Amino acid sequence: MVNVYVITGPTASGKTKVAIELAKKLGGEIVSCDSMQIYKKMDIGSAKPTEDELNEVKHHLIGVIEPTENFTVAKYQSMALDAIDDIVSRGKIPIVAGGTGLYLNALLFDMDFAARPDNSKRRNELEAMTGETLYEYLKEIDMEATNRIHKNNTKKVIRAIEAAELGNKVKPLNDCKDRCGLYNFKLYALNWDREKLYERINTRVDKLIELGLVEEVRNLFKEGLNCENISMKGIGYKEIIEHIEGGLTLEEAVYLIKRNTRRFAKRQITWFKRYEDMTWIDVDEPMSANDIVEKIL
RNA sequence: GGCGACAUAGCCAAGUAGUAAGGCAGAAGUCUGCAAAACUUCCAUUCCCCAGUUCAAAUCUGGGUGUCGCCU
């Protein structure tokens, strides 16, 4: 069975460098598991690997989607599985790297996204309904789903209704088989002391600004992208757009980017805690990517 | 030295006698099609200290301490 290495962890934990080092040692190729780095033209804000890093080792699923496209997990799932199979077929080792939890689930588990409801009309109708009514309706058509979905979580309530109406109820993850019969996933998460991680995040945000994040967002904005686009809901993009539109000073936007990134990192950690077979690697400042790779191998 | 204002959580802050709002920051979680999303829960047994009035005080009274402002 094929080994598939997975390098994950919260944002700013150093996944990129570790994955590259590991790939060099194993003769592997990297499959990104990142919902923002997958877009083109979003290099600074999504903290993509640098040009040099991308040339060091072959990367898949970085900068391949137009920011105007409504990309979703379902597409990610098929593209990533294709990439893994492609790598394996060429006798190389796939290394999945990134911190998007749902995308990782779509790889580890056989989540079925086949029956996509393409029904923007229906969605508009549902979005026009009030929360109470929606939840009552969901109770009627999929009682089981209401046990897992809080009534205030309108997005998920609507999704569950759409699925149930098409006779394809949203399944809890527990009902999905894992893919361990096909691949031997080796899961690693980089773990920092919380305060140090937060410091790294704060400095990284300052650095992204120095590198020209505002300019990058301004260019996307000129191309007609706005907060309606999925790609522009990424941290760093939505705040700078608000700054460009005049709602926020740059200082306020930077403050919010830092705070939102910290919160995001915390949620990522919560997510990764759920994987029972995850190996947590404690990381601290003087350690190099090489030191960490040695802990893995 | 005199006069005045203020003192509530890590920070900002409401409440002016009926048993501590809210926001920020923080923590713990949820998760099958926007996931860098969306959502949930937790976070002051006590209001600077002491005494008094009252059935009841963060709230009223007196004293102390501290901070700020103005005056000399």
Short mmCIF file of all heavy atoms in Angstrom, two decimals, chain B residues 35-52:
data_model
loop_
_atom_site.label_atom_id
_atom_site.label_comp_id
_atom_site.label_asym_id
_atom_site.label_seq_id
_atom_site.Cartn_x
_atom_site.Cartn_y
_atom_site.Cartn_z
P A B 35 -14.49 27.47 0.70
OP1 A B 35 -13.66 28.51 0.11
OP2 A B 35 -14.66 26.15 0.06
"O5'" A B 35 -14.02 27.20 2.20
"C5'" A B 35 -13.58 28.29 3.02
"C4'" A B 35 -13.22 27.74 4.38
"O4'" A B 35 -14.43 27.32 5.05
"C3'" A B 35 -12.32 26.51 4.33
"O3'" A B 35 -11.51 26.47 5.49
"C2'" A B 35 -13.29 25.35 4.44
"O2'" A B 35 -12.75 24.20 5.02
"C1'" A B 35 -14.33 25.95 5.38
N9 A B 35 -15.64 25.33 5.24
C8 A B 35 -16.63 25.61 4.35
N7 A B 35 -17.70 24.86 4.49
C5 A B 35 -17.39 24.02 5.54
C6 A B 35 -18.08 23.00 6.17
N6 A B 35 -19.31 22.62 5.82
N1 A B 35 -17.47 22.37 7.20
C2 A B 35 -16.25 22.75 7.54
N3 A B 35 -15.48 23.70 7.03
C4 A B 35 -16.11 24.31 6.02
P A B 36 -10.09 26.93 5.39
OP1 A B 36 -9.63 26.92 4.01
OP2 A B 36 -9.45 26.07 6.37
"O5'" A B 36 -10.07 28.43 5.90
"C5'" A B 36 -10.42 28.76 7.24
"C4'" A B 36 -10.33 30.26 7.37
"O4'" A B 36 -9.02 30.68 6.99
"C3'" A B 36 -11.30 31.01 6.47
"O3'" A B 36 -11.61 32.26 7.05
"C2'" A B 36 -10.47 31.21 5.20
"O2'" A B 36 -10.85 32.35 4.47
"C1'" A B 36 -9.08 31.44 5.79
N9 A B 36 -7.94 31.00 4.94
C8 A B 36 -7.79 29.84 4.25
N7 A B 36 -6.64 29.72 3.64
C5 A B 36 -5.99 30.91 3.96
C6 A B 36 -4.72 31.41 3.62
N6 A B 36 -3.84 30.74 2.89
N1 A B 36 -4.39 32.62 4.08
C2 A B 36 -5.27 33.28 4.84
N3 A B 36 -6.49 32.91 5.24
C4 A B 36 -6.78 31.71 4.75
P A B 37 -12.60 32.47 8.22
OP1 A B 37 -12.56 33.89 8.59
OP2 A B 37 -12.36 31.43 9.24
"O5'" A B 37 -14.00 32.16 7.55
"C5'" A B 37 -14.44 32.85 6.40
"C4'" A B 37 -15.69 32.16 5.93
"O4'" A B 37 -15.40 30.77 5.68
"C3'" A B 37 -16.81 32.13 6.96
"O3'" A B 37 -17.54 33.33 6.92
"C2'" A B 37 -17.63 30.94 6.48
"O2'" A B 37 -18.37 31.27 5.34
"C1'" A B 37 -16.51 29.98 6.08
N9 A B 37 -16.11 29.08 7.17
C8 A B 37 -14.93 29.07 7.87
N7 A B 37 -14.84 28.11 8.76
C5 A B 37 -16.05 27.44 8.63
C6 A B 37 -16.58 26.32 9.28
N6 A B 37 -15.94 25.64 10.22
N1 A B 37 -17.82 25.92 8.92
C2 A B 37 -18.47 26.59 7.97
N3 A B 37 -18.07 27.65 7.28
C4 A B 37 -16.84 28.03 7.65
P A B 38 -18.04 34.00 8.28
OP1 A B 38 -18.70 35.26 7.91
OP2 A B 38 -16.93 33.98 9.26
"O5'" A B 38 -19.13 32.95 8.79
"C5'" A B 38 -20.36 32.82 8.11
"C4'" A B 38 -21.10 31.61 8.62
"O4'" A B 38 -20.31 30.42 8.38
"C3'" A B 38 -21.34 31.58 10.13
"O3'" A B 38 -22.42 32.41 10.51
"C2'" A B 38 -21.63 30.09 10.33
"O2'" A B 38 -22.90 29.75 9.83
"C1'" A B 38 -20.56 29.48 9.42
N9 A B 38 -19.31 29.25 10.16
C8 A B 38 -18.19 30.03 10.20
N7 A B 38 -17.24 29.54 10.98
C5 A B 38 -17.78 28.36 11.48
C6 A B 38 -17.29 27.37 12.36
N6 A B 38 -16.09 27.42 12.91
N1 A B 38 -18.10 26.33 12.65
C2 A B 38 -19.31 26.28 12.10
N3 A B 38 -19.89 27.15 11.25
C4 A B 38 -19.06 28.17 10.98
P C B 39 -22.43 33.13 11.94
OP1 C B 39 -23.63 34.00 11.96
OP2 C B 39 -21.10 33.69 12.23
"O5'" C B 39 -22.64 31.90 12.95
"C5'" C B 39 -23.84 31.18 12.92
"C4'" C B 39 -23.70 29.91 13.71
"O4'" C B 39 -22.59 29.12 13.21
"C3'" C B 39 -23.36 30.06 15.18
"O3'" C B 39 -24.48 30.47 15.95
"C2'" C B 39 -22.92 28.64 15.50
"O2'" C B 39 -24.01 27.76 15.55
"C1'" C B 39 -22.08 28.32 14.27
N1 C B 39 -20.65 28.64 14.51
C2 C B 39 -19.90 27.71 15.23
O2 C B 39 -20.44 26.66 15.60
N3 C B 39 -18.60 27.98 15.51
C4 C B 39 -18.06 29.13 15.10
N4 C B 39 -16.79 29.36 15.41
C5 C B 39 -18.81 30.10 14.36
C6 C B 39 -20.09 29.81 14.08
P U B 40 -24.25 31.17 17.37
OP1 U B 40 -25.54 31.72 17.77
OP2 U B 40 -23.05 32.02 17.32
"O5'" U B 40 -23.90 29.92 18.32
"C5'" U B 40 -24.85 28.90 18.54
"C4'" U B 40 -24.28 27.87 19.47
"O4'" U B 40 -23.09 27.27 18.87
"C3'" U B 40 -23.76 28.42 20.79
"O3'" U B 40 -24.81 28.62 21.71
"C2'" U B 40 -22.81 27.31 21.23
"O2'" U B 40 -23.51 26.19 21.71
"C1'" U B 40 -22.16 26.94 19.90
N1 U B 40 -20.89 27.68 19.66
C2 U B 40 -19.77 27.24 20.35
O2 U B 40 -19.80 26.31 21.13
N3 U B 40 -18.61 27.93 20.08
C4 U B 40 -18.47 29.00 19.21
O4 U B 40 -17.36 29.51 19.07
C5 U B 40 -19.68 29.40 18.55
C6 U B 40 -20.82 28.74 18.79
P U B 41 -24.69 29.74 22.85
OP1 U B 41 -26.01 29.85 23.48
OP2 U B 41 -24.02 30.93 22.28
"O5'" U B 41 -23.66 29.07 23.87
"C5'" U B 41 -24.01 27.89 24.58
"C4'" U B 41 -22.79 27.37 25.30
"O4'" U B 41 -21.74 27.09 24.33
"C3'" U B 41 -22.13 28.34 26.26
"O3'" U B 41 -22.79 28.37 27.51
"C2'" U B 41 -20.73 27.74 26.38
"O2'" U B 41 -20.72 26.59 27.20
"C1'" U B 41 -20.46 27.33 24.94
N1 U B 41 -19.73 28.35 24.16
C2 U B 41 -18.36 28.45 24.37
O2 U B 41 -17.76 27.75 25.18
N3 U B 41 -17.71 29.38 23.61
C4 U B 41 -18.28 30.23 22.69
O4 U B 41 -17.57 31.01 22.06
C5 U B 41 -19.70 30.08 22.53
C6 U B 41 -20.37 29.17 23.26
P C B 42 -22.68 29.67 28.44
OP1 C B 42 -23.57 29.43 29.59
OP2 C B 42 -22.82 30.88 27.61
"O5'" C B 42 -21.16 29.60 28.93
"C5'" C B 42 -20.73 28.56 29.80
"C4'" C B 42 -19.25 28.71 30.04
"O4'" C B 42 -18.54 28.69 28.77
"C3'" C B 42 -18.84 30.04 30.64
"O3'" C B 42 -19.03 30.03 32.03
"C2'" C B 42 -17.36 30.10 30.27
"O2'" C B 42 -16.57 29.30 31.11
"C1'" C B 42 -17.37 29.51 28.87
N1 C B 42 -17.40 30.51 27.79
C2 C B 42 -16.18 31.17 27.46
O2 C B 42 -15.17 30.90 28.13
N3 C B 42 -16.16 32.07 26.46
C4 C B 42 -17.28 32.33 25.77
N4 C B 42 -17.20 33.23 24.78
C5 C B 42 -18.52 31.69 26.08
C6 C B 42 -18.53 30.79 27.08
P C B 43 -19.44 31.41 32.78
OP1 C B 43 -19.68 31.06 34.19
OP2 C B 43 -20.47 32.12 31.99
"O5'" C B 43 -18.09 32.25 32.68
"C5'" C B 43 -16.93 31.85 33.40
"C4'" C B 43 -15.80 32.76 33.04
"O4'" C B 43 -15.52 32.63 31.62
"C3'" C B 43 -16.10 34.24 33.20
"O3'" C B 43 -15.87 34.63 34.55
"C2'" C B 43 -15.06 34.87 32.26
"O2'" C B 43 -13.78 34.94 32.83
"C1'" C B 43 -15.07 33.86 31.10
N1 C B 43 -15.95 34.29 29.99
C2 C B 43 -15.41 35.16 29.01
O2 C B 43 -14.22 35.52 29.12
N3 C B 43 -16.20 35.58 28.00
C4 C B 43 -17.48 35.17 27.93
N4 C B 43 -18.22 35.62 26.91
C5 C B 43 -18.04 34.29 28.90
C6 C B 43 -17.26 33.88 29.91
P A B 44 -17.17 35.10 35.47
OP1 A B 44 -17.18 34.13 36.56
OP2 A B 44 -18.40 35.36 34.68
"O5'" A B 44 -16.62 36.48 36.01
"C5'" A B 44 -15.30 36.56 36.59
"C4'" A B 44 -15.35 37.56 37.73
"O4'" A B 44 -15.70 38.83 37.17
"C3'" A B 44 -16.40 37.23 38.75
"O3'" A B 44 -15.82 36.39 39.73
"C2'" A B 44 -16.96 38.60 39.21
"O2'" A B 44 -16.38 39.01 40.42
"C1'" A B 44 -16.50 39.55 38.12
N9 A B 44 -17.52 40.28 37.38
C8 A B 44 -18.79 39.91 37.04
N7 A B 44 -19.44 40.81 36.35
C5 A B 44 -18.52 41.86 36.24
C6 A B 44 -18.58 43.12 35.63
N6 A B 44 -19.65 43.57 34.98
N1 A B 44 -17.49 43.91 35.71
C2 A B 44 -16.43 43.46 36.36
N3 A B 44 -16.24 42.30 36.97
C4 A B 44 -17.35 41.54 36.88
P U B 45 -15.58 36.54 41.16
OP1 U B 45 -15.23 37.80 41.74
OP2 U B 45 -14.78 35.36 41.52
"O5'" U B 45 -17.12 36.33 41.52
"C5'" U B 45 -17.61 35.14 42.03
"C4'" U B 45 -18.66 35.60 42.99
"O4'" U B 45 -19.64 34.59 43.22
"C3'" U B 45 -18.16 35.90 44.40
"O3'" U B 45 -17.50 37.16 44.44
"C2'" U B 45 -19.49 35.94 45.17
"O2'" U B 45 -20.11 37.19 45.06
"C1'" U B 45 -20.31 34.87 44.42
N1 U B 45 -20.44 33.64 45.20
C2 U B 45 -21.55 33.53 46.01
O2 U B 45 -22.40 34.40 46.08
N3 U B 45 -21.61 32.37 46.74
C4 U B 45 -20.70 31.34 46.76
O4 U B 45 -20.90 30.36 47.46
C5 U B 45 -19.57 31.54 45.88
C6 U B 45 -19.47 32.66 45.16
P U B 46 -16.50 37.54 45.68
OP1 U B 46 -15.22 36.84 45.38
OP2 U B 46 -17.26 37.26 46.92
"O5'" U B 46 -16.27 39.13 45.62
"C5'" U B 46 -15.69 39.74 44.50
"C4'" U B 46 -16.63 40.79 43.94
"O4'" U B 46 -17.69 40.14 43.18
"C3'" U B 46 -17.32 41.66 45.01
"O3'" U B 46 -17.08 43.01 44.68
"C2'" U B 46 -18.79 41.30 44.86
"O2'" U B 46 -19.65 42.42 45.03
"C1'" U B 46 -18.90 40.82 43.42
N1 U B 46 -20.07 39.95 43.11
C2 U B 46 -21.35 40.40 43.46
O2 U B 46 -21.55 41.44 44.03
N3 U B 46 -22.38 39.57 43.14
C4 U B 46 -22.30 38.38 42.49
O4 U B 46 -23.32 37.74 42.25
C5 U B 46 -20.95 37.98 42.13
C6 U B 46 -19.92 38.77 42.45
P C B 47 -17.16 44.12 45.90
OP1 C B 47 -16.08 43.80 46.84
OP2 C B 47 -18.54 44.36 46.40
"O5'" C B 47 -16.73 45.38 45.05
"C5'" C B 47 -15.72 45.27 44.04
"C4'" C B 47 -16.05 46.20 42.90
"O4'" C B 47 -17.17 45.66 42.16
"C3'" C B 47 -16.44 47.59 43.38
"O3'" C B 47 -15.68 48.55 42.67
"C2'" C B 47 -17.93 47.71 43.04
"O2'" C B 47 -18.25 49.01 42.53
"C1'" C B 47 -18.10 46.69 41.92
N1 C B 47 -19.44 46.08 41.86
C2 C B 47 -20.35 46.57 40.91
O2 C B 47 -19.99 47.49 40.17
N3 C B 47 -21.57 46.01 40.83
C4 C B 47 -21.91 45.01 41.65
N4 C B 47 -23.12 44.48 41.52
C5 C B 47 -21.01 44.51 42.62
C6 C B 47 -19.79 45.06 42.70
P C B 48 -15.20 49.85 43.43
OP1 C B 48 -16.21 50.37 44.37
OP2 C B 48 -14.67 50.70 42.35
"O5'" C B 48 -13.99 49.29 44.30
"C5'" C B 48 -12.94 48.54 43.71
"C4'" C B 48 -11.70 48.68 44.56
"O4'" C B 48 -11.12 49.99 44.33
"C3'" C B 48 -11.99 48.64 46.06
"O3'" C B 48 -12.01 47.31 46.54
"C2'" C B 48 -10.80 49.42 46.61
"O2'" C B 48 -9.63 48.65 46.66
"C1'" C B 48 -10.65 50.52 45.55
N1 C B 48 -11.42 51.74 45.87
C2 C B 48 -10.98 52.57 46.92
O2 C B 48 -9.95 52.26 47.55
N3 C B 48 -11.67 53.69 47.23
C4 C B 48 -12.76 54.00 46.54
N4 C B 48 -13.41 55.12 46.89
C5 C B 48 -13.24 53.18 45.47
C6 C B 48 -12.54 52.07 45.17
P C B 49 -13.01 46.92 47.76
OP1 C B 49 -13.01 45.45 47.85
OP2 C B 49 -14.29 47.65 47.63
"O5'" C B 49 -12.24 47.52 49.03
"C5'" C B 49 -10.99 46.99 49.45
"C4'" C B 49 -10.50 47.77 50.65
"O4'" C B 49 -10.27 49.15 50.25
"C3'" C B 49 -11.51 47.88 51.79
"O3'" C B 49 -11.46 46.74 52.62
"C2'" C B 49 -11.02 49.13 52.50
"O2'" C B 49 -9.91 48.89 53.33
"C1'" C B 49 -10.61 50.01 51.32
N1 C B 49 -11.69 50.92 50.88
C2 C B 49 -11.94 52.08 51.64
O2 C B 49 -11.27 52.28 52.67
N3 C B 49 -12.91 52.93 51.25
C4 C B 49 -13.61 52.68 50.14
N4 C B 49 -14.55 53.57 49.80
C5 C B 49 -13.39 51.51 49.36
C6 C B 49 -12.43 50.67 49.76
P C B 50 -12.83 46.27 53.39
OP1 C B 50 -12.52 44.97 54.02
OP2 C B 50 -13.99 46.40 52.48
"O5'" C B 50 -12.98 47.38 54.53
"C5'" C B 50 -12.04 47.46 55.60
"C4'" C B 50 -12.35 48.64 56.47
"O4'" C B 50 -12.23 49.87 55.70
"C3'" C B 50 -13.79 48.72 56.99
"O3'" C B 50 -13.98 47.88 58.11
"C2'" C B 50 -13.89 50.19 57.36
"O2'" C B 50 -13.27 50.50 58.58
"C1'" C B 50 -13.13 50.84 56.20
N1 C B 50 -14.04 51.29 55.12
C2 C B 50 -14.71 52.53 55.27
O2 C B 50 -14.52 53.19 56.30
N3 C B 50 -15.54 52.96 54.29
C4 C B 50 -15.72 52.21 53.20
N4 C B 50 -16.55 52.68 52.26
C5 C B 50 -15.06 50.95 53.03
C6 C B 50 -14.24 50.53 54.00
P A B 51 -15.47 47.29 58.43
OP1 A B 51 -15.35 46.38 59.59
OP2 A B 51 -16.04 46.78 57.16
"O5'" A B 51 -16.28 48.59 58.85
"C5'" A B 51 -16.19 49.09 60.19
"C4'" A B 51 -16.83 50.44 60.29
"O4'" A B 51 -16.37 51.28 59.19
"C3'" A B 51 -18.34 50.49 60.14
"O3'" A B 51 -19.01 50.07 61.30
"C2'" A B 51 -18.54 51.98 59.86
"O2'" A B 51 -18.40 52.77 61.01
"C1'" A B 51 -17.37 52.24 58.91
N9 A B 51 -17.81 52.10 57.50
C8 A B 51 -17.56 51.07 56.63
N7 A B 51 -18.11 51.24 55.44
C5 A B 51 -18.78 52.45 55.55
C6 A B 51 -19.56 53.21 54.64
N6 A B 51 -19.80 52.81 53.40
N1 A B 51 -20.09 54.38 55.07
C2 A B 51 -19.82 54.78 56.33
N3 A B 51 -19.10 54.16 57.28
C4 A B 51 -18.60 53.00 56.82
P G B 52 -20.50 49.44 61.21
OP1 G B 52 -20.94 49.00 62.55
OP2 G B 52 -20.48 48.48 60.08
"O5'" G B 52 -21.38 50.68 60.76
"C5'" G B 52 -21.65 51.74 61.68
"C4'" G B 52 -22.34 52.89 60.98
"O4'" G B 52 -21.62 53.21 59.77
"C3'" G B 52 -23.75 52.60 60.49
"O3'" G B 52 -24.69 52.69 61.53
"C2'" G B 52 -23.92 53.73 59.46
"O2'" G B 52 -24.20 54.98 60.07
"C1'" G B 52 -22.53 53.77 58.83
N9 G B 52 -22.48 53.01 57.57
C8 G B 52 -21.83 51.81 57.34
N7 G B 52 -21.97 51.39 56.11
C5 G B 52 -22.75 52.36 55.50
C6 G B 52 -23.22 52.45 54.15
O6 G B 52 -23.04 51.68 53.22
N1 G B 52 -23.99 53.60 53.96
C2 G B 52 -24.26 54.54 54.92
N2 G B 52 -25.00 55.57 54.54
N3 G B 52 -23.81 54.47 56.17
C4 G B 52 -23.06 53.37 56.38
#
